[in-house]
């Protein structure tokens, strides 16, 4: 493995090993601490079961803590050679990686403070988001308040980005270049864009939720696809200029996969624990961290297509055009044991405004919603605007684990297609 990869493979092996340790630690700590969390009031009812049992909530906090410990313990590994070189006076040619200049016949070694700063900013961003998540699980912070907090967590990343890359221009597709030029500089807007990605990613994972396992499987799929994308850059026959960014990304993704698989073990149908908002925010932020610092945030967007669809589809409820109940998860039919689309009821007194009514009926016609009208054409109920409910509208009632598997399968297909577009279509659109 160490030789297959471009650059230095040994820290990667350490990262893989830490990922394994993180898996075992998370796996056993979730079992031990479940009852403790319940005693502290962190519990929730599994709504889609015959026996409405209470389960420990917020177990993502354990995953996040183990993860943070793992990435902190990992810090010396990628810098090992630099540390040796810096402390040994830099005499050994083999270990010197960053030779600044030669003085009196000795190589003076400059420690890569920039790399360390970006690593630390990543840890800081992930710590802030975990705090927010735990706060939300404890106190149920209001939607409009918690929405912007990921943007604050991303400030250290944006500062490092500003200092390290400072690239704020986007490449214009070749056919448009005669009109717009080769590059278009977004300037400060580029930072607004990155902060928006930071807000979007954690929140979008949190609202594609409500059936056992789905929060974790969608995060694992994104992490695996990002890691796959990283390997494409590391396995090139020549050293790719982006090797460092993609190694960095793997250092953060491998332990993430470790803790996530452990969590999935307990959260998969029939769930024994819930992941809580902590996990959703934390997972979303891991993706933001690697993609901003690795300078591939646009690739991340391609991998978030199902989440983007779910968000855009949710807009009527998120912005109050259609009432939004506290929970929009699919409805459990106790008679069949299957999930059906959950609905928002309308009363004769409370009907949608005419343009909304027209839009709802149109969505129903094109099979993007299920609308029930009474004999006089008044709205009785409309299915809730989530991709999970929509899937049930299309596929009919499904068992909970079946629904989770189908949504995850769809996400893998869409994600692979996203990567294909990124690597193949980009060649055509941006050809030299
Ligand atoms: C988000 C969704 C909400 C959805 C909820 C489910 C939006 C705007 N919000 O809210 O519609 O109902 O996630 O997580 O789209 N639960 C289960 N089975 C599961 C997972 C969760 O029954 O597999 C229930 C449990 O009672 C658990 C609760 O959902 O305690 C957790 O909900 P929470 O994460 O607090 O909801 P939000 O993230 O605010
Ligand atoms: Mg949630």
């Amino acid at each position: 493995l160490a030789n297959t990869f471009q650059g230095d493979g040994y820290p990667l092996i350490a990262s893989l090993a830490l990922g394994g340790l993180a898996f075992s630690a998370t796996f056993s700590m979730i079992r031990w601490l479940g009852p403790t969390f319940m005693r502290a009031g962190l519990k929730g009812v599994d709504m889609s079961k015959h026996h409405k049992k209470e389960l420990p909530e917020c177990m993502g906090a354990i995953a996040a803590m183990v993860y943070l410990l793992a990435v902190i313990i990992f810090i010396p590994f990628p810098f090992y050679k630099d540390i040796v070189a810096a402390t040994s006076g830099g005499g050994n040619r083999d270990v010197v990686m960053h030779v600044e200049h030669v003085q009196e016949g000795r190589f003076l070694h400059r420690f890569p403070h920039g790399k360390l700063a970006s690593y630390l900013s990543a840890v800081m961003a992930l710590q802030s988001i975990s705090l927010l998540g735990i706060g939300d699980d404890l106190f149920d912070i209001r939607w409009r308040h918690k929405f912007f907090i990921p943007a604050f967590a991303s400030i250290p990343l944006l500062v490092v980005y500003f200092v390290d890359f400072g690239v704020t221009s986007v490449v214009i597709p070749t056919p448009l270049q005669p009109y717009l030029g080769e590059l278009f500089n977004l300037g400060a807007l580029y930072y607004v864009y990155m902060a928006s990605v930071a807000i979007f990613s954690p929140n979008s994972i949190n609202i594609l939720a409500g059936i056992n396992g789905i929060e974790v499987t969608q995060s694992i799929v994104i992490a695996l696809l990002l890691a796959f994308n990283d390997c494409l850059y590391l396995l090139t026959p020549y050293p790719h200029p982006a090797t460092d960014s993609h190694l960095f990304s793997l250092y953060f993704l491998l332990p993430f996969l470790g803790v996530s698989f452990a969590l999935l073990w307990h959260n998969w149908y029939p769930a024994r624990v819930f992941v809580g908002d902590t996990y959703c925010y934390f997972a979303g932020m891991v993706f933001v961290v690697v993609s901003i610092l690795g300078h591939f945030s646009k690739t991340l967007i391609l991998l978030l297509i199902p989440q983007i669809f779910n968000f855009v589809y949710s807009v009527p409820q998120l912005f109050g055009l259609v009432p939004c109940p506290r929970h929009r998860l699919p409805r459990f039919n106790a008679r069949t044991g299957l999930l059906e689309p959950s609905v928002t009821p309308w009363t004769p007194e409370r009907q949608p405004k005419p343009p909304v009514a027209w839009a709802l009926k149109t969505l129903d016609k094109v099979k993007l919603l299920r609308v029930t009208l009474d004999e006089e054409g008044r709205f009785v109920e409309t299915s809730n605007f989530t991709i999970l409910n929509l899937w049930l509208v299309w596929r009919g009632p499904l068992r909970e684990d079946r629904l989770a598997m189908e949504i995850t399968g769809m996400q893998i297909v869409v994600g692979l297609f996203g990567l294909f577009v990124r690597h193949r279509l980009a060649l055509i659109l941006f050809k030299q």
Side-chain angles (χ1 to χ4, degrees):
L1 184 68
N3 297 327
T4 338
F5 279 91
Q6 297 294 346
D8 184 12
Y10 290 105
L12 207 50
I13 295 178
S15 177
L16 210 56
L18 271 172
L21 285 175
F23 172 88
S24 346
T26 310
F27 185 89
S28 29
M29 280 173 73
I30 289 177
R31 290 182 71 167
W32 297 333
L33 293 178
T36 315
F37 272 56
M38 288 187 75
R39 274 201 300 280
L42 289 165
K43 54 191 169 188
V45 180
D46 196 349
M47 297 196 248
S48 311
K49 300 289 180 306
H50 281 111
H51 307 286
K52 306 255 177 300
K53 243 186 27 195
E54 281 195 323
L55 301 178
E57 177 76 85
C58 190
M59 292 321 241
I62 295 177
M65 291 307 129
V66 171
Y67 176 86
L68 285 170
L69 265 181
V71 291
I72 288 171
I73 292 172
F74 180 70
I75 294 177
F77 289 90
F79 298 101
Y80 170 73
K81 286 188 174 173
D82 301 300
I83 294 170
V84 173
T87 51
S88 68
N92 184 347
R93 249 174 199 280
D94 289 340
V95 291
V96 173
M97 289 171 76
H98 303 263
V99 180
E100 275 287 292
H101 48 273
V102 183
Q103 203 179 54
E104 294 164 14
R106 272 166 46 116
F107 295 105
L108 286 187
H109 179 77
R110 252 287 287 288
F111 186 82
H113 290 284
K115 245 167 93 181
L116 182 61
S118 66
Y119 198 97
L120 294 179
S121 73
V123 174
M124 212 171 141
L126 293 168
Q127 273 178 345
S128 329
I129 203 77
S130 306
L131 275 180
L132 160 71
I134 295 172
D136 189 27
D137 278 328
L138 281 172
F139 309 117
D140 257 325
I141 305 175
R142 285 243 189 97
W143 220 74
R144 57 174 175 275
H145 294 150
K146 67 189 183 193
F147 193 74
F148 292 102
I149 299 181
F152 293 105
S154 71
I155 288 176
L157 301 176
L158 299 187
V159 171
V160 166
Y161 185 90
F162 179 74
V163 176
D164 264 16
F165 294 101
V167 181
T168 53
S169 38
V170 287
V171 182
I172 302 290
T174 320
L176 297 178
Q177 279 182 6
Y179 316 105
L180 297 169
E182 268 179 41
L183 292 174
F184 185 73
N185 191 4
L186 286 173
L189 273 184
Y190 199 81
Y191 290 89
V192 175
Y193 150 74
M194 285 189 290
S196 319
V197 175
I199 294 176
F200 181 76
S201 169
N203 282 299
S204 70
I205 291 179
N206 190 30
I207 63 171
L208 211 176
I211 59 170
N212 293 178
I214 200 72
E215 293 100 325
V216 190
T217 53
Q218 65 181 301
S219 308
I220 288 180
V221 169
I222 297 169
L224 283 175
L225 289 170
L226 283 175
F228 172 66
N229 183 53
D230 292 333
C231 293
L232 292 181
Y233 288 86
L234 297 175
L235 292 168
T236 49
Y238 52 88
H240 195 280
T243 296
D244 263 3
S245 304
H246 291 280
L247 271 176
F248 177 94
S249 160
L250 278 181
Y251 298 157
F252 280 89
L253 291 174
L254 293 177
F256 175 74
L257 285 167
V259 299
S260 298
F261 275 111
L263 189 57
L264 180 62
W265 190 287
H266 300 284
N267 181 238
W268 184 252
Y269 178 90
R272 276 145 293 154
V273 305
F274 287 135
V275 301
D277 291 342
T278 312
Y279 180 78
C280 303
Y281 292 151
F282 155 72
M285 204 62 187
V286 169
F287 309 143
V288 171
V289 162
V290 298
S291 66
I292 287 187
L293 294 177
H295 199 41
F296 52 86
S297 55
K298 277 151 273 163
T299 306
L300 173 63
I301 292 181
L302 283 174
L303 297 182
L304 287 175
I305 288 173
Q307 285 75 12
I308 295 172
F309 177 87
N310 189 51
F311 171 77
V312 172
Y313 186 56
S314 295
V315 160
Q317 285 195 305
L318 297 181
F319 292 97
L321 293 173
V322 171
C324 184
R326 167 69 183 85
H327 280 293
R328 301 189 297 161
L329 47 82
R331 194 180 76 88
F332 177 67
N333 183 332
R335 207 165 39 77
T336 58
L338 301 176
L339 294 182
E340 294 167 2
S342 62
V343 296
T344 301
W346 299 90
T347 54
E349 298 78 46
R350 189 157 173 242
Q351 288 287 306
K353 297 211 171 65
V356 177
W358 176 83
L360 295 178
K361 284 180 185 158
T362 311
L363 284 175
D364 179 61
K365 263 200 211 108
V366 296
K367 293 259 176 316
L368 279 172
L369 192 72
R370 180 180 292 166
V371 176
T372 316
L373 304 172
D374 64 12
E375 309 83 53
E376 281 142 59
R378 281 177 308 208
F379 281 76
V380 179
E381 54 187 36
T382 47
S383 59
N384 283 319
F385 291 76
T386 72
I387 199 171
L388 297 178
N389 288 313
L390 182 60
W391 197 265
L392 292 168
V393 167
W394 289 340
R395 295 273 294 110
L398 292 174
R399 208 173 85 161
E400 195 173 358
D401 52 342
R402 177 82 207 218
L403 176 60
M405 275 189 283
E406 292 191 4
I407 294 286
T408 308
M410 175 273 292
Q411 200 200 340
I412 295 173
V413 173
V414 173
L416 283 174
F417 180 72
L419 284 186
F420 175 77
V421 167
R422 162 72 189 77
H423 290 282
R424 285 279 147 234
L425 230 52
L427 281 183
I428 300 166
L429 280 180
F430 299 103
K431 66 175 180 288
Q432 294 303 314

